[in-house]
Amino acid sequence: MVLKVLALVVGVLELLVPRQLVDFWMNLASADDDVELRSWVYTAARIEGVVLVLWALKGCCSRSDE
């Protein structure tokens, strides 16, 4: 349950502010400041956000009462 909530939060952030989130992780991961990302990286982050949100909501909406 906690993993799905975390995936939902990260997915929404990737949808709303992909540039800031990717830049944050790239600054954290690299020691060099001369790294330039290609423009498709931010689109890929948005797609990843959609997948994470759908995965997180899938379990929430498809539960059946037993």
Side-chain angles (χ1 to χ4, degrees):
M1 178 70 176
V2 173
L3 184 61
K4 289 201 177 202
V5 171
L6 183 63
L8 182 65
V9 169
V10 171
V12 169
L13 285 174
E14 283 186 329
L15 284 171
L16 296 177
V17 288
R19 183 171 300 274
Q20 289 87 346
L21 196 65
V22 169
D23 290 345
F24 168 76
W25 287 112
M26 286 303 298
N27 287 336
L28 191 65
S30 70
D32 299 332
D33 290 335
D34 61 347
V35 175
E36 288 189 33
L37 297 176
R38 298 187 185 229
S39 61
W40 58 266
V41 172
Y42 303 111
T43 303
R46 283 186 188 242
I47 292 169
E48 182 183 30
V50 168
V51 170
L52 287 173
V53 168
L54 290 176
W55 178 75
L57 293 179
K58 180 186 143 201
C60 177
C61 299
S62 67
R63 289 190 178 174
S64 61
D65 294 332
E66 295 180 6

